């Protein structure tokens, strides 16, 4: 796919859309001051047993809130699910009376017009076609290239036996959709027009096409009913052209445009006209005229041709079946509506291009199962089932039955052999059963929300649904030819051959393969067929098994099995080789590699299969859609084959250091635990750490050391911090003695007067030729002392706030972060696509200057949610699907009214999720303007929901985060298969009030020095690690936020760090002057006649000059909106 660098689209978003409402802000302050401090403390600590709905009810009520409160834990009981079903049904069911009132007159006039069409005498088909075209100007929609002069049978037109409105509209099982509703009018052709042999060689379909053209020409020419007439393929089959009647918006009596409906005239024939024994699936009804016809290599049966004849002969029978079932089973109609919604949300439909299983097939199957299908011919489903029970039982039937291997023949009295109905190409049924199994797993789970993924979520976008999507043009040599096999049969045969080849070659590397083609649009009755493109694309969606997709060696059959070995060699050709393995077995095998290849192993296999079993032209035309996501990580290609390989040196270095620390002798206390708490050590940093600092100054990886408990620890915060310094010095001394070449450096942090309750020291450990580590000491007594301080009733408000902040920081650094790291590490080994998708999501956040406002664990929780709660999908098997689904979740997440619940292992119990929801309600009550907690992200390790979101991100950043995700999803929808993934990572700086450009030297982007001539100089250069942990841009931004953070929101790319952007807070633009504003201000000049007191605004240029002086040589220029 060609690159579109110069034409990349920038995401459209607005930053200035969240003004602060001073009235609500003051209301928030008063409500917060009146709230129970103990309740707030419980919320911060994540206590679940003391925070109840009763506590929430006691909180002060506000006259204004952001949105409707979230339901409690009892929402998703069966009763609530039924309530949601009722609301859904009320939403999707059309108003049949209103529609009928608007369209009934047109239906009656159409019936009258068709009944009054004059009869046409029998005439040889070729002559009749020529005369008809010359007389009416209407083309006949032949199912093939049309009749030839040598055909001797005749065609005619006679009054229909019957005309009825049929289908979902009559049964009242229609569902509202984006497309206009279709009302089917069935016209039954008289039996006198047909002969016994008309089932052969398109004779029935030729006569049918002539009959339909007579109806089309009459309706088009009549003045009694002004409508627009078009041809359309019924069920996407060229064998079944029908008439699509659309309104003419002229305001006349026949104008039914306000009904938002279309009328479809379909044809039927009496079931006794064409003998059923002649049109069974294994029969061949298209006979070859010459033995040298190229189509003799195709299957001798014509199943689609035969099934189409039987379908048109069975319309009356199925109509009787469905109406009878509706009268006997009360839940049937509603179950059909639910099933139709479920199918449509997953892209299934009656048309062949939508899988061939839609509302009609679902209704017929349920109706038959309510009559038979069980043991000894009894009904499989009970007529007393409710609608939801029928729907769920239908899903269970799909998942428990493999109809491709064991066909189910419903109804008594038949003598057909089941083996005759078997198929070796279960394309549709595998996909349908996969979706049914997925939905059943969801309905049987304990997730809080099971309704929306089942009936609301749209699951038909291939870029989100399938891990790999390919487009393959149908080769010219495989286009329909001649009369031997019709176009539909030939296209399906091509899809079947493609499915068989890919499923055989890919094996257990994939979980599902689903090929489909695009449907034809309606066309004018002046043409016999729609205008066809030179090639028709086949779209193939593939669900990947990520644990096997990157396997380098495939084992085939043993050499002793001559038949299987020969079949293996025939399929793979020169790629197959005989190989002896370590266990002594001699097997046929295949070897693949990604080294030196631009394609993944999976893509290499698919290209090889297409090239070998189709042709080189098809292989060259094969397109992998949106496959460039794994190349987007900076300077490192992400790979599903070995997603964790780039982190292995860091993991091994940590394990070696932890082992050395545990084995140290001479420490006052024994080591209890050494824990990792850094993104590199949980496989989630954008760029893995390296000991040489190839991407700028080397940044150390955080680890935590905990000593065993002892009563010798002092019971004072300050004294504990000094004791930690002493332990760090001793630990560094012993490590330097134990590991030759290792360097340790003691560092201090949090040295401000307001930070005396925080951790004050760390130890940098620099092993030789390995990444650096930053070690902090954890002592449990600190948390107890801080909690005791917070509970002091005589503590002033400022000191209480400092103690609460210290508790949050301590728990975040020493409790939650190590536990989170361990959980993410486990999940990354469980889901191969998780690590690269987390890294790509962080890269996306960094590209849009958001990473400085979002804690890494919050981004990781969002990515994990896509894997542990994937419904209505399966867990992603590729980087693209994981990344796009996460963006879609962020875009649709109503974060003001809904908490984020993430399971980091087993499913979250309903009691736990209910308690978290209650706590979320409490936070929204005490903080309605979202000044303290904008995003609420809870997990099984953090039921409090605020560890990674308290104070940051702000509601402005959260809104920008969501709007960027929405813009990205809109871009994906707009570009579709032409998506350039790089466009998602392009963000405009024009929305910011000012942009500070940093000097490249500060970023570590210096030119590489010439390689030293002498090796010892190179070793010295690599070993120079004096700048470990040096990050001047981050320190610069932290200082700016400390000084100006109340009035300016700063954004910067935490990964590249080339710019620092800023937005002025809306409340400092203009306000009344008062003492102690807290920022540099200038008077605002008012126009003549304007009253009021003195108004001031923030001194923007003065602050920008201060920023320039603070940055000094680090800054190249400051670009201001509207100037520079």
């Amino acid at each position: 796919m060609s690159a579109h660098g110069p034409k990349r689209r920038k995401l459209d978003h607005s930053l200035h859309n969240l003004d602060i409402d001073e009235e609500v802000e003051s209301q928030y302050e008063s409500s917060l001051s009146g709230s129970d401090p103990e309740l707030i403390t419980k919320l911060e600590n994540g206590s679940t047993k003391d925070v109840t709905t009763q506590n929430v009810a006691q909180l002060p009520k506000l006259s204004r809130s952001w949105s409707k409160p979230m339901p409690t834990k009892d929402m998703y009981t069966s009763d609530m699910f039924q309530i949601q079903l009722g609301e859904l049904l009320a939403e999707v069911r059309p108003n049949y009376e209103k529609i009928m009132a608007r369209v009934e007159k047109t239906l009656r006039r159409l019936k009258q017009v068709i009944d009054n069409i004059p009869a046409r005498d029998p005439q040889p088909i070729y002559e009749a076609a020529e005369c008809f075209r010359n007389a009416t100007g209407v083309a006949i929609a032949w199912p093939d290239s049309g009749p030839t002069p040598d055909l001797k049978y005749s065609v005619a037109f006679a009054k229909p036996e019957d005309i009825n409105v049929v289908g979902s509209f009559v049964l009242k099982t229609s569902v509202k959709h984006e497309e206009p509703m279709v009302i089917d009018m069935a016209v039954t052709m008289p039996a006198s027009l047909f002969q016994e042999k008309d089932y052969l060689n398109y004779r029935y379909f030729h006569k049918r096409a002539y009959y339909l053209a007579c109806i089309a020409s009459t309706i088009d020419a009549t003045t009694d009913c002004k409508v627009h007439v078009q041809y359309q393929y019924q069920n996407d089959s060229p064998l079944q052209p029908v008439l699509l009647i659309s309104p003419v918006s002229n305001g006349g009596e026949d104008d039914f445009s306000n009904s938002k409906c279309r009328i479809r005239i379909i044809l039927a024939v009496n079931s006794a006209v064409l003998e059923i024994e002649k049109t069974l699936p294994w029969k061949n009804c298209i006979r070859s005229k010459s033995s040298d016809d190229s189509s003799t290599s195709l299957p001798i049966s014509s199943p689609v041709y035969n099934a189409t004849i039987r379908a048109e002969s069975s319309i009356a029978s199925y109509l009787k079946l469905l109406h009878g079932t509706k009268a006997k089973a009360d839940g049937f109609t509603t179950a059909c509506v639910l099933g139709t919604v479920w199918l449509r949300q997953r892209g299934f439909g009656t048309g062949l291009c939508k899988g061939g299983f839609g509302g009609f097939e679902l209704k017929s199957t349920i109706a038959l199962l309510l009559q038979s299908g069980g043991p000894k011919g009894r009904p499989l489903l009970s007529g007393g089932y409710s609608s939801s029970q029928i729907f769920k039982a239908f899903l269970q039937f799909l998942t428990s039955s493999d109809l491709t291997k064991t066909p189910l023949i419903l109804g008594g009295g038949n003598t057909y052999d089941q083996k005759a109905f078997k198929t070796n190409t279960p394309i549709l049924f595998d996909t349908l059963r996969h979706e049914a199994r997925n939905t059943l797993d969801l309905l049987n789970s304990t997730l809080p929300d099971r309704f929306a993924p089942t009936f609301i979520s749209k699951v038909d976008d291939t870029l989100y649904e399938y891990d790999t999507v390919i487009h393959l043009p149908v080769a010219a040599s495989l286009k329909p030819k001649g009369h031997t096999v019709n176009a539909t049969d030939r296209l399906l045969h091509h899809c079947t051959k493609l499915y068989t080849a890919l499923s055989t070659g890919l094996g257990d590397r994939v979980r599902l393969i689903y090929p489909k083609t695009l449907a034809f649009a309606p066309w004018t009755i002046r043409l016999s067929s729609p205008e066809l493109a030179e090639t028709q694309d086949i779209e193939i969606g593939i669900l990947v098994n990520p644990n096997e997709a990157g396997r380098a060696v495939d084992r085939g059959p043993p050499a002793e099995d001559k038949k299987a070995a020969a079949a293996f060699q025939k399929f793979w050709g020169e790629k197959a080789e005989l190989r002896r393995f370590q266990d002594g077995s001699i097997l046929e095998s295949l070897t693949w590699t990604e080294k030196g290849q631009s394609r993944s192993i999976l893509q290499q296999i698919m290209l090889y299969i297409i090239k070998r079993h189709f042709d080189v032209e098809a292989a060259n035309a094969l397109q992998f859609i949106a496959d460039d996501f794994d190349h987007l990580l900076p300077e490192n290609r992400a790979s599903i084959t070995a997603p964790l390989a780039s982190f292995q040196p860091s993991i091994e270095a940590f394990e070696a250091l932890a082992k050395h620390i545990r084995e140290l002798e001479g420490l006052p206390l024994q080591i209890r635990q050494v824990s990792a708490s850094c993104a590199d050590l949980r496989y989630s940093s954008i760029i893995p750490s390296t000991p040489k600092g190839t991407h700028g100054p080397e940044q150390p990886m955080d680890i935590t050391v905990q000593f065993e408990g002892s009563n010798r620890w002092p019971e004072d915060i300050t004294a504990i911090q000094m004791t930690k310094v002493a332990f760090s010095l001793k630990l560094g001394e012993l490590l330097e003695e134990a590991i030759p070449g290792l360097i340790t450096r003691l560092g201090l942090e949090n040295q401000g007067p307001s930070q005396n309750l925080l951790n004050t020291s760390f130890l940098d450990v620099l092993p030789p030729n390995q990444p650096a580590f930053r070690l902090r000491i954890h002592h449990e007594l600190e948390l107890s002392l801080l909690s005791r301080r917070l509970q002091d009733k005589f503590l002033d408000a400022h000191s209480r706030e400092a103690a609460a902040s210290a508790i949050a920081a301590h728990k975040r650094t020493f409790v939650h972060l190590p536990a989170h790291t361990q959980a993410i590490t486990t999940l990354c080994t469980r889901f191969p696509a998780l690590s690269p998708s987390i890294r790509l999501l962080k890269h996306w956040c960094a590209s849009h200057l958001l990473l400085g406002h979002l804690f890494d664990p919050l981004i990781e929780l969002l990515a994990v949610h896509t894997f542990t709660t994937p419904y209505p999908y399966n867990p992603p098997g590729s980087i693209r699907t994981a990344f796009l689904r996460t963006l879609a979740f962020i875009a649709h997440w109503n974060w003001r009214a809904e908490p984020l619940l993430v399971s980091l292992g087993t499913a979250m119990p309903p009691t736990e999720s209910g308690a978290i929801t209650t706590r979320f309600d409490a936070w929204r009550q005490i903080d309605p303007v979202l000044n303290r907690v904008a995003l609420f992200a809870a997990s099984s390790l953090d039921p409090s929901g605020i560890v990674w979101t308290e104070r940051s991100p702000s509601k402005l950043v959260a809104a920008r985060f969501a709007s960027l995700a929405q813009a990205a999803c809109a871009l994906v929808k707009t570009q579709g298969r032409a998506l350039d993934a790089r466009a998602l990572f392009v963000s405009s700086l024009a929305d910011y009030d000012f942009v500070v450009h940093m000097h490249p030297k500060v970023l570590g982007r210096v030119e590489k020095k010439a390689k030293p001539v002498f090796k010892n100089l190179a070793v010295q250069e690599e070993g120079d690690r004096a700048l470990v942990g040096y990050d001047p841009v981050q320190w610069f931004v932290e200082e700016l936020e400390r000084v100006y953070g109340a009035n300016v929101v700063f954004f910067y790319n935490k990964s590249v760090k080339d710019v620092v952007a800023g937005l002025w807070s809306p409340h400092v633009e203009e306000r009344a002057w008062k003492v102690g504003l807290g920022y540099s201000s200038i008077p605002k000049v008012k126009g003549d006649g304007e009253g009021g007191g003195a108004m001031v605004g923030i001194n923007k240029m003065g602050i920008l000059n201060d920023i320039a002086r603070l940055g000094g040589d680090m800054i190249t220029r400051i670009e201001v909106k509207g100037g520079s």
Side-chain angles (χ1 to χ4, degrees), residues 886-998:
T886 305
L887 285 185
F889 171 78
I890 297 169
H892 294 94
W893 177 26
N894 184 7
W895 49 270
R896 289 185 174 90
E898 298 174 5
L900 171 65
L901 305 179
V902 183
S903 172
L904 294 177
T906 56
M908 192 177 292
T911 53
E912 185 176 349
S913 60
I916 292 174
T917 303
T918 301
R919 189 175 303 107
F920 170 79
D921 291 338
W923 269 114
R924 286 300 184 253
Q925 288 286 347
I926 66 174
D927 183 17
V929 292
L930 315 182
N931 280 343
R932 189 165 183 173
V933 178
L935 302 181
F936 188 93
S939 68
S940 48
L941 295 177
D942 171 32
S944 72
I946 63 171
V947 169
W948 313 115
T949 59
E950 188 175 11
R951 307 284 184 191
S952 182
S954 65
K955 59 185 176 183
L956 182 142
V957 175
R960 175 165 171 76
F961 186 38
S963 66
L964 283 168
Q966 292 163 5
C969 292
L971 185 63
V972 173
K973 183 177 181 180
T974 302
Q975 293 192 353
R977 69 168 71 176
L979 175 66
D980 181 6
R982 294 171 297 175
L984 299 175
F985 294 79
V986 178
S987 185
S988 172
L989 297 176
D991 294 321
Y992 298 99
D993 292 327
F994 62 89
V995 178
V996 180
H997 294 267
M998 309 305 295

Side-chain angles (χ1 to χ4, degrees), residues 753-770:
S754 61
Q755 299 174 315
N756 57 342
L757 300 180
L758 303 175
N759 181 75
T760 60
S761 62
F762 58 83
L763 181 70
D764 280 350
V765 181
L766 314 177
N769 300 318
Q770 289 183 343

